[in-house]
Structures are given as C-alpha cells and as structure tokens.
Amino acid sequence: MTEHLITVDGARLWQSLMDLAEVGAYDDERTGLRGVNRLALTDADAAGRRLVISWMERAGLTVRVDRMGNIYGRREGTDPGARPALTGSHIDSVATAGAFDGCLGVLGGIEVVRTLNERGITTRRPLEVAVFTEEEGVRFGTDMLGSAVAAGRLSLEYAHALTDRHGVTLGGELARTGFDGPAGERLDPPHAYVECHIEQGPVLAQAGVEIGVVTGVQGISWQEITIHGRAAHAGTTPTELRADAGLAAARVVVHLRAMVDSGAYGELRATVGHLAVHPDLTNIVPARAELTVDLRNPDDAQMARAEEDLAAFLCTLEDDRPGLSVSTRRMARTAHVPFDDGVRKVIAEAAGDHGLAHLSLLSGAGHDAQEIAALCPTAMIFVRGEYDGISHNPREYSTPEACAHGVDVLATTLLRLAGQD
Ligand code: GLV
Ligand code: MN
Ligand code: MN
C-alpha cells in the first residue's frame, strides 16, 4: 500500500521526550524549573544513550556504534543495496538545557520508525536514525564533533585527544562509558539527510507559523583567549604599574560589542560566554584571564574580517600595557552551509500536505546537519518554540502539538526520500 502522508503518535513522542529529560535532570535554582544537564560522555549522557538504544532496539532497529561514539539505528528497506535516508541529531546537552534541543530529532526519528512499523509500511531505501556525539561542544570545546568526524572534516585522532576543563580526554571517556564502538567512524554517504530540531529562536512564533524549512546554517567561530598579566596587591600597587588581565578581558568584551554595533561586519553576533580570572580573589589584581569568544555570521567574508579585527585588537592590548601577553586557541570554525534545494522542497511540500504553514529561515544555531551536508543532500525542519524560542535553558519549551507537527513532516519527508514500493 502506498501512503502519502504519515501522522505519528504525538503522545508517544511526547512521553519519550519527557522520559529522556529525566536522565540528567536537575532542579534549576534560577528558574525554579527542572532542567537537563547531560554533557557529552558523562554518566548521564551514557545513561541517556543506553535508554535511546533500548528504544531503537524495541523499534526493530539494528544498532551500530562507531569509534566516535556515534550511534546509528537501521531499518532495512526492500533494496538492501540502496543508500539510506538518514535522520537524527544529538542527545548531549549544555549544562543548563531543556528537554528538546537535539532530542526532538533523535526521538522524532525513532517515532517515525515506530509509526512505519505499526502501519506495516516498507520503504525501498533503508532508514537510519543517528545520535551524534558532542554536538554541543561545551565539554570538549568543539561543537558538531561527532558529525564532523563522520563527515570527514575532523579526524578521529583530533577528536579523541580533546580534553575537558579537567584534562579528561574524549577518547578516555568513550572507553570509560563503553561507547568506543567497533564501526568505522567515516559515514558512507547516505542518499539524503533530514534533521528535525527546535528553532531555538522567535521567528516562527512571531510569524504564527508551525514549520521552518531551514535554508542553511550561519558560520561559527569559537576561540579561547588567554591573557597573561601580573598578580599584584590590590591596595598597594599603583594603577600605572599594573598589568591587569581582568581589565584586558573586559576590554575584549566591550570591543566585541562595539564591533557588532558598528554594523561593519554584517549580521555579526558576538558572545563571551565563559570568562574566568585567576587567582580569582578580591584583593589581588588578576594575573590571568581566560575567555571564550563565539562569533556567528551568515557571511563568510564578513566573518573573516571580524576575526581579523579581533586579532588586531588583541595585539593592541599587548602594545598598550607592558607585561600583558595574549594567546589564542582555535576551538571550532565552520563556514556558512547552504542546504539542498531538493530536500527543502520535499520538506515544504510535506508541510503543505499536512496543512501546516511554513516559512524558510536560516539557522542561527549550529547543527549536525551542517556537517552531514558535506556527504549528501541535506536540509532541516524547525519546530517553533515558546517564550521567544529560548533555548540552552530550562525554560526551553515547544508544545506537544508543535513537536508532533514537526515529526509528522519529518515522517512524510523521510518516506518520500526513502521511496515506497
Ligand atoms: C549549538 O547549540 C550552537 O551553539 O549553536
Ligand atoms: Mn541542537
Ligand atoms: Mn544546543
């Protein structure tokens, strides 16, 4: 039987999201809400992975884990030689997360499989559901890491050698948690990849639209800056004799904001999300400051200019104050990635066939899809969020209906990409 529209079990999808959110749950003091802390390859992430694998197996998927810890669940098609239609996302989280970022794409993929099983629908191509390792990049410093290794942009050796803030290696954590799988880390090019994800922004809600058809992902530049100054007594050291690393760090923050406000770098966004001074004591001029800089820009040339401006500013910091020195470490860098017109069209038509209003938009956040796009035609489905689409926060929320609608579109899109007999 040929089905044209697939409607998933929204209540079952919601229950899966809520059950996974219990793994790594914590009570967030600031919001009074229950949040999720499932940093990559922690015990909580490992428990979440085991739960997801059990759901995959119960849905009849054949599970393989690769040397990067990426998990793939496969449902065979009638043409075993055909390249699979791939979906998925990540279940690792930032330390202050909600229930939806990444999880919707993974659990949505599993829900699609459950629905096809119940309806007895077979596809010509195999279907695979992926869970990529360390998408967030907050533990080991490079985002979209598992998918970047799967796509061949970053090497397994690079990834395994990355360390967290305590010096623990990713390779060691893969072994400790039992997710150093036997499968080769390079993914054979799928037929197509489609990822369903919450928007993490306000655009869809403001437009009163259910579904986003994602046109691509903007460029991302992450670096860590370390400023070395000179520790000194806060009461006795004359201002002109100080080499204050904390002051220099503050100047970087202010300079970045001035760069954004100048409008000279297009739609640049700049964030210093981590800033620490040492020795971190009331009456000592900071000897050292560490900060991270997150730049986003949809225009690669403007991004390169912004990076050059920042580098030049760091040189002036050194020149302005004897005793200050600055070093930088590249953490992550991706260019603007446009998505495939053909897959976008399939998504837009699926949304229309489900009677769901949709619009096209560029993703402000990074996603595994931007890496898999190097291997095969790729695009994403965005689901709208409440509260201005707040994300990376326990207030992150998309309604059960919005989640179900996004996964309905995912199901129909995958079915059309995988083909029926
Ligand atoms: C991923 O969540 C990002 O930082 O965009
Ligand atoms: Mn995500
Ligand atoms: Mn995220």
Side-chain angles (χ1 to χ4, degrees):
M1 184 180 61
T2 300
E3 299 257 357
H4 294 289
L5 280 187
I6 299 292
T7 306
V8 301
D9 183 336
R12 185 171 56 192
L13 170 68
W14 187 256
Q15 192 59 53
S16 300
L17 285 162
M18 295 304 110
D19 287 348
L20 184 54
E22 284 302 312
V23 183
Y26 74 99
D27 293 315
D28 189 75
E29 280 173 23
R30 279 153 301 161
T31 57
L33 297 170
R34 209 154 160 74
V36 175
N37 179 356
R38 218 166 36 232
L39 291 182
L41 300 176
T42 54
D43 289 347
D45 184 40
R49 287 162 165 264
R50 287 191 292 270
L51 182 60
V52 167
I53 287 175
S54 74
W55 288 339
M56 283 181 163
E57 288 176 341
R58 215 176 304 156
L61 296 174
T62 305
V63 175
R64 68 180 191 277
V65 180
D66 76 13
R67 295 198 288 167
M68 187 56 213
N70 296 318
I71 301 164
Y72 300 92
R74 180 178 173 99
R75 183 180 195 261
E76 290 301 342
T78 53
D79 179 354
R83 289 180 293 135
L86 180 67
T87 189
S89 194
H90 62 98
I91 68 156
D92 69 293
S93 80
V94 298
T96 57
F100 303 90
D101 179 357
C103 302
L104 179 63
V106 171
L107 303 182
I110 295 173
E111 179 54 35
V112 171
V113 171
R114 290 169 178 153
T115 304
L116 296 182
N117 292 347
E118 279 169 358
R119 306 242 184 120
I121 298 172
T122 52
T123 55
R124 185 174 80 74
R125 296 180 178 281
L127 281 181
E128 291 198 0
V129 182
V131 184
F132 293 109
T133 300
E134 176 65 322
E135 189 273 350
E136 293 290 3
V138 290
R139 181 164 183 210
F140 295 100
T142 302
D143 53 357
M144 282 75 71
L145 188 62
S147 48
V149 171
R153 187 175 67 80
L154 298 175
S155 72
L156 189 68
E157 294 68 33
Y158 167 86
H160 279 192
L162 287 172
T163 54
D164 70 7
R165 282 189 187 152
H166 307 289
V168 176
T169 64
L170 181 138
E173 286 295 81
L174 278 175
R176 185 185 69 81
T177 55
F179 283 97
D180 52 347
E185 71 279 8
R186 291 290 287 273
L187 183 63
D188 284 338
H191 170 65
Y193 179 67
V194 54
E195 178 172 343
C196 180
H197 202 284
I198 54 166
E199 179 200 340
Q200 307 180 278
V203 174
L204 295 174
Q206 278 175 6
V209 165
E210 289 286 336
I211 296 292
V213 183
V214 185
T215 57
V217 180
Q218 66 179 340
I220 303 175
S221 162
W222 282 7
Q223 55 187 311
E224 182 183 68
I225 299 174
T226 305
I227 302 169
H228 295 275
R230 199 168 47 241
H233 191 290
T236 60
T237 315
T239 302
E240 64 276 13
L241 292 184
R242 297 180 182 203
D244 184 340
L247 174 64
R251 290 184 63 197
V252 174
V253 177
V254 172
H255 182 76
L256 286 167
R257 178 56 187 257
M259 285 171 59
V260 171
D261 289 346
S262 74
Y265 305 93
E267 295 168 57
L268 176 69
R269 289 186 179 140
T271 305
V272 174
H274 168 70
L275 200 168
V277 293
H278 304 272
D280 197 20
L281 296 169
T282 305
N283 54 359
I284 300 179
V285 176
R288 193 171 89 246
E290 286 160 11
L291 58 155
T292 54
V293 175
D294 174 320
L295 303 179
R296 312 272 174 141
N297 205 313
D299 182 314
D300 291 336
Q302 302 273 35
M303 177 71 108
R305 288 184 47 246
E307 289 180 320
E308 283 164 21
D309 180 319
L310 175 60
F313 181 74
L314 297 179
C315 290
T316 65
L317 280 182
E318 288 181 334
D319 296 344
D320 283 359
R321 176 56 63 187
L324 272 185
S325 67
V326 181
S327 60
T328 60
R329 182 177 69 83
R330 166 66 65 198
M331 300 165 68
R333 179 72 161 89
T334 51
H336 165 249
V337 176
F339 285 152
D340 180 76
D341 287 344
V343 180
R344 284 166 51 190
K345 191 158 172 273
V346 179
I347 294 169
E349 283 174 2
D353 292 347
H354 280 281
L356 299 168
H358 54 93
L359 58 75
S360 294
L361 76 172
L362 182 74
S363 174
H367 296 291
D368 294 307
Q370 73 193 76
E371 300 293 343
I372 305 305
L375 296 179
C376 63
T378 292
M380 293 182 72
I381 300 161
F382 270 178
V383 164
R384 82 177 181 204
E386 304 298 315
Y387 317 122
D388 294 327
I390 187 171
S391 185
H392 287 180
N393 186 281
R395 291 182 71 221
E396 174 184 284
Y397 187 73
S398 291
T399 64
E401 295 72 28
C403 293
H405 285 150
V407 177
D408 285 346
V409 175
L410 177 68
T412 298
T413 301
L414 282 172
L415 193 63
R416 291 175 181 176
L417 290 171
Q420 286 181 264
D421 290 319

